[in-house]
Amino acid sequence: AQSVAQPEDQVNVAEGNPLTVKCTYSVSGNPYLFWYVQYPNRGLQFLLKYITGDNLVKGSYGFEAEFNKSQTSFHLKKPSALVSDSALYFCAVRDIATAGNKLTFGGGTRVLVKP
Amino acid sequence: DADVTQTPRNRITKTGKRIMLECSQTKGHDRMYWYRQDPGLGLRLIYYSFDVKDINKGEISDGYSVSRQAQAKFSLSLESAIPNQTALYFCATSLGRDTQYFGPGTRLTVL
């Protein structure tokens, strides 16, 4: 079975400060990991993914995420947050060995960036 | 993502009514998915389809059915809607096992 945990329901950060959204996962094999963002009244937009290779993955809108196998984590980061980054963020995992392409999502973390 | 469209965007219905949500894509992807989103629970997979002839249940398929009318179209039906099916529904597509891309969602309210 595969699972994802996003331990924070909400993250508050001042504009210009670093932003981190935490994600830990559990899979029986090797993971494919994803971050999506949902803006109000919009669908989920793909931000970035880790498949293999470099543990630091760079994605859209200046976001990056670091894969840490020993800590089973895939935290999303942005060096300098913008007010427009305020949204709902989802981490998702797929076990490479899983038949099909079934993603398991975390419960989401709401990010609020204050001016 | 404009390449994946969902209709309707909002729907209010009554308990016991049959309702269909539709998804269309112009991305040329072979795989399509239906998820529902509930606050604090993230997205949960209802059904997924590898191609027109291959449809599979997800983790919460009870009370739902689907139809893959063509490679580009995937519909979700609630045969007899109940209030706990009130949720935000998303369609997604992927090319094989690659990244999934989501539609804008349908907000369904069952009274």
Side-chain angles (χ1 to χ4, degrees), chain B residues 20 22-34 48-55 66-76 91-94:
Chain B
M20 178 181 289
E22 298 185 337
C23 176
S24 295
Q25 54 114 347
T26 59
K27 298 179 79 71
H29 289 175
D30 53 341
R31 300 187 181 191
M32 298 185 74
Y33 312 79
W34 276 105
Y48 60 104
S49 170
F50 288 171
D51 63 34
V52 174
K53 297 181 180 179
D54 189 348
I55 293 177
V66 292
S67 173
R68 185 86 182 265
Q69 300 96 324
Q71 187 186 36
K73 296 183 182 296
F74 193 36
S75 299
L76 176 72
C91 174
T93 73
S94 71

Side-chain angles (χ1 to χ4, degrees), chain A residues 32 34 36 38 41-46 49 88 90 94-108, chain B residues 9 31 33 35 37 40-43 45 48 50 57 59 88 90 94 96-105 107:
Chain A
Y32 285 176
F34 302 81
Y36 288 85
Q38 184 180 19
N41 300 315
R42 302 279 297 277
L44 275 72
Q45 296 181 29
F46 169 71
K49 66 181 178 183
L88 187 57
F90 290 98
R94 175 167 70 84
D95 190 326
I96 290 176
T98 300
N101 191 18
K102 290 184 288 184
L103 289 177
T104 298
F105 285 82
Chain B
R9 294 293 311 279
R31 300 187 181 191
Y33 312 79
Y35 292 88
Q37 181 185 4
L41 295 179
L43 278 75
L45 184 63
Y48 60 104
F50 288 171
K57 293 182 178 180
E59 59 183 304
L88 189 55
F90 286 105
S94 71
R97 303 177 78 183
D98 205 349
T99 302
Q100 293 183 28
Y101 293 91
F102 287 78
R107 187 170 297 279

Side-chain angles (χ1 to χ4, degrees), chain A residues 11 24-25 35 44 77 82 87 92 108:
Chain A
V11 170
T24 58
Y25 67 90
W35 276 102
L44 275 72
K77 300 181 180 182
L82 302 172

